[in-house]
Amino acid sequence: MTLTDLFTQPDPAFGQAMTALLETFHRSDDSQAPYQRDQFIHQFDQSRMPAAGMSTQEYLARLATLVPGASHLTSPRYMGHMTAPLPTFTAELSRLLVMLNQNPMKMESSRLLSFLEREVLAKLHRLIYRQSDDFYASQMHAKDAALGVMTSGGTIANVTALWLARNQACGDNLFSLYEQGYRGAVILGSRLMHYSFDKGMDLLGLGAASVWRLDTHDDNRLSLAALESALARCKAQKLKVLALVGVAGSTDFGSIDPLPELAAIAGREGIHFHVDAAWGGPTLYSPRYQELLAGIEQADTVTLDGHKQLLVPLGTGMLLCRQPDLMMTVKREAPYAIRATSFDQGRFTLEGTRPANALYLDAAFQLLGQQGYAGLIEANYDRARLMARLIEESPAFELISAPVMNLLSYRCIPPHLQNKALDDAANRQINDFNVALQKAQRAEGHSFVSRTQRAVGRYGEQPLTLLRAVLLNPLIEQHHIQDLLADQERLGKVIAHELFGAKAPQA
């Protein structure tokens, strides 16, 4: 095959091989190629590019050794991360999207897909803000306005929200804050704010120290008393509060901050109110659970992340703005591409080049519909409540946070500490035990949960290692949850024996 043929001659055998690879992959789990860092490094230790290209058959042989080592995120026994399994139609749609290779930053490089992107953003804006038909008719395709922007993920959406808040407060000149009499600037939110806010404030030249992480209550919601105290300190220290951040689905617990109260405080103080709903935003599709997000419609900006509960591929983030003219505060142009008189969405985006991933959302919206999303979300929330009940019924586990959405945290208790009062020394043992357990389960590869470390109210300020389960896969059934917990209990007996000399049978 010549170089030109690579651009003009599709290889049917290549496509068939991809299908076969995926089918084999989805029938297996991580145990087929256990995580062994030294082995993986050795497999990819060549720094020189091949002098000549290989045949497609040779490359297929290379892929056959690579794919089994990928994470089996779609396995119903893999309940550790916020990455959605994808509907089967995504595979063919991605082929179309990749080969079209459109860039929606500019009309000339995407044409009709730029208008599709605006329509998708309008659907999500309506989900959050519920404006009138007349509003969307006038604003969806307005020239110098935007209901929101597509980004490559929730992190860039959150950073963009901070960019907007900063420019609202002082334009793009931080020195104007000092001219206004301030000694600096901060953002306020709970200790469970996503780490993207630290990145954003660092990028804006304010430093991670300008991110004030405030106390939460035992239910993992931001303490309003702590917020009021922080606001008083900011006034006393002459610090400008650029933004108040509410979390709608924390990554550790799935908890939701008191959004109506935060909105009222932000309005009272004239502060930009941003809600990070990267995880929890699609809850609004569910009639049964949508009240969990009451108050989100008062936010100035809202982050959503498509690769989570919207069930589309990675790289599909969104920032939505309550007021369509807000994006004008970060408008930028370039004479060769994004001109001042243009209709281009690239005027408002941090990224200058990005794929037309709005097409994935359009397909999901059209094929699933609001009722489809509601059914999937409610089933996953029910699965989390089922898992919580199974955990509470066993002395081998301790439920740390009752599920608000479809994410919960818990820990496994070694046999010698089950049904006993737990002090700091016991918790240190349990921390070591859960780290070893999570690593052993990951290495075995049959099932998986992730882990985090947080202090929880019942044990004071002592950091605890927690297991973290994410119930996102619609293929998860009760026996998968039971099998995962059984794996942990079995492995736990072995680990307890190794760590503590406890009498535990080898599994």
Side-chain angles (χ1 to χ4, degrees), residues 161-408:
L162 296 180
W163 186 22
L164 287 166
R166 195 277 307 269
N167 282 15
Q168 266 193 307
C170 59
D172 57 7
N173 181 9
L174 281 174
F175 291 105
S176 71
L177 284 176
Y178 302 103
E179 294 171 355
Q180 296 173 42
Y182 293 104
R183 297 170 57 190
V186 300
I187 64 169
L188 305 178
S190 89
R191 63 186 178 88
L192 298 176
M193 268 193 298
H194 194 260
Y195 66 94
S196 57
F197 293 101
D198 301 86
K199 295 179 182 180
M201 293 301 276
D202 197 11
L203 287 167
L204 290 175
L206 292 161
S210 61
V211 180
W212 286 21
R213 296 178 177 275
L214 310 178
D215 288 342
T216 57
H217 293 295
D218 289 350
D219 60 3
N220 302 305
R221 289 155 52 92
L222 175 61
S223 163
L224 297 178
L227 174 58
E228 295 287 9
S229 175
L231 288 167
R233 293 202 310 276
C234 289
K235 291 175 182 177
Q237 298 174 31
K238 298 187 183 303
L239 297 174
K240 173 70 173 178
V241 181
L242 293 182
L244 173 58
V245 177
V247 180
S250 66
T251 54
D252 294 88
F253 305 108
S255 51
I256 305 167
D257 286 333
L259 302 181
E261 291 84 352
L262 298 187
I265 292 170
R268 184 193 76 200
E269 301 291 331
I271 299 171
H272 183 101
F273 180 37
H274 174 67
V275 173
D276 181 2
W279 180 252
T283 305
L284 291 168
Y285 285 119
S286 164
R288 198 198 312 172
Y289 290 109
Q290 63 186 202
E291 283 305 308
L292 290 172
L293 296 189
I296 194 172
E297 72 283 352
Q298 299 178 61
D300 295 295
T301 49
V302 173
T303 287
L304 296 175
D305 206 346
H307 80 261
K308 297 182 171 74
Q309 299 205 75
L310 288 172
L311 307 174
V312 299
L314 291 161
T316 311
M318 290 73 66
L319 180 72
L320 302 168
C321 302
R322 182 164 53 86
Q323 296 296 335
D325 60 352
L326 178 59
M327 295 305 305
M328 297 297 287
T329 63
V330 296
K331 181 181 175 183
R332 295 293 183 272
E333 295 119 17
Y336 75 97
I338 309 294
R339 287 175 283 276
T341 58
S342 76
F343 189 73
D344 302 330
Q345 284 287 90
R347 294 173 294 165
F348 310 119
T349 54
L350 183 60
E351 299 152 295
T353 302
R354 54 191 169 78
N357 281 1
L359 187 62
Y360 290 128
L361 288 165
D362 178 69
F365 292 169
Q366 301 299 326
L367 295 171
L368 297 176
Q370 184 163 331
Q371 292 180 357
Y373 272 118
L376 291 168
I377 287 166
E378 290 172 3
N380 282 330
Y381 286 25
D382 290 345
R383 290 182 181 98
R385 283 148 181 77
L386 167 64
M387 186 170 187
R389 288 197 299 274
L390 294 173
I391 288 170
E392 289 185 304
E393 290 169 0
S394 172
F397 301 99
E398 179 187 19
L399 184 67
I400 297 297
S401 65
V404 178
M405 296 184 175
N406 51 332
L407 191 153
L408 56 88

Side-chain angles (χ1 to χ4, degrees), residues 124-143:
L124 292 168
H125 191 281
R126 185 187 283 270
L127 176 70
I128 302 292
Y129 293 110
R130 305 174 189 176
Q131 296 288 348
S132 67
D133 288 345
D134 288 344
F135 173 88
Y136 293 107
S138 65
Q139 298 297 331
M140 189 186 313
H141 298 297
K143 178 177 174 291

Side-chain angles (χ1 to χ4, degrees), residues 97-108:
L97 184 61
V98 167
M99 294 311 294
L100 289 175
N101 206 26
Q102 306 287 288
N103 181 5
M105 57 83 74
K106 183 163 182 59
M107 294 293 302
E108 293 172 0

